[in-house]
């Protein structure tokens, strides 16, 4: 994760477009409207149907896991990294065969979105104000 962040910081800054904001709002609404027992895999497939969002399953999986790292997708018992460090090598798994990373591995639709974390990371974007209900 540290290597990816270091490489990302070397890239030129890109200003999000209206389309980027629209896609992100669609992602948040899909997660927010997920059914109680929806799993990350089911949400990942729904996100794949967003018009103009050209991604593959692995890219969408990485996106959802990143939202977990940011504490936007977490559970009451299994928190993201916003307020504490979790050693991913020692983090618990929901089941032995899961290929999702902590904490998204534990997330279900009923867990919804951590609004405080969403606002922490994206609250400065005027274009996303409608997300902070």
């Amino acid at each position: 994760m540290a290597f990816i962040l270091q490489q990302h910081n070397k890239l030129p800054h890109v200003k999000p477009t209206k389309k980027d904001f629209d896609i992100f709002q669609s992602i948040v609404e899909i997660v927010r409207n997920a059914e109680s027992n929806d799993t990350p895999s089911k949400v990942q497939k729904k996100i794949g149907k967003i018009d103009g969002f050209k991604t593959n399953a692995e890219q969408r999986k990485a996106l959802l896991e990143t939202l977990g790292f940011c504490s936007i997708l977490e559970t009451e018992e299994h928190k993201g990294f916003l307020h504490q460090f979790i050693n991913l090598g020692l983090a618990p798994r929901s089941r032995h065969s899961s290929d999702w990373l902590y904490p998204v591995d534990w997330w279900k639709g009923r867990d919804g979105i951590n609004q405080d974390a969403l606002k922490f990371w994206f609250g400065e974007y005027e274009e996303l104000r409608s997300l902070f209900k």
Side-chain angles (χ1 to χ4, degrees):
M1 187 185 302
F3 175 77
I4 291 170
L5 291 172
Q6 289 170 342
Q7 296 307 305
H8 179 328
N9 286 338
K10 293 178 182 179
L11 296 171
H13 179 72
V14 177
K15 185 169 172 51
T17 65
K18 179 180 179 341
K19 182 178 178 181
D20 295 329
F21 287 115
D22 290 345
I23 289 170
F24 187 71
Q25 286 180 324
S26 295
I27 292 167
V28 170
E29 289 306 315
I30 287 170
V31 173
R32 190 175 275 151
N33 295 320
E35 295 186 28
S36 180
N37 286 325
D38 278 359
T39 62
S41 294
K42 190 164 189 176
V43 170
Q44 177 268 126
K45 289 175 186 171
K46 290 178 184 179
I47 290 171
K49 296 176 183 175
I50 295 173
D51 190 38
F53 190 45
K54 306 284 187 219
T55 57
N56 62 39
E58 285 300 313
Q59 291 167 325
R60 294 186 303 272
K61 181 177 179 232
L63 171 66
L64 291 173
E65 289 174 335
T66 300
L67 293 177
F69 299 150
C70 294
S71 297
I72 294 169
L73 296 183
E74 63 181 10
T75 71
E76 191 63 37
E77 187 177 337
H78 300 96
K79 301 290 188 182
F81 295 85
L82 184 60
H83 299 292
Q84 65 184 13
F85 172 77
I86 293 99
N87 182 337
L88 288 177
L90 301 174
R93 303 201 59 103
S94 66
R95 58 193 188 287
H96 181 69
S97 61
S98 177
D99 62 346
W100 287 88
L101 295 178
Y102 181 93
V104 173
D105 181 34
W106 294 91
W107 184 90
K108 296 272 198 252
R110 67 180 155 267
D111 298 305
I113 288 179
N114 178 336
Q115 283 294 123
D116 293 335
L118 183 68
K119 190 169 187 177
F120 177 84
W121 294 108
F122 298 101
E124 293 182 21
Y125 290 101
E126 188 68 36
E127 300 86 348
L128 298 175
R129 295 286 177 182
S130 65
L131 295 177
F132 311 115
K133 300 175 181 176

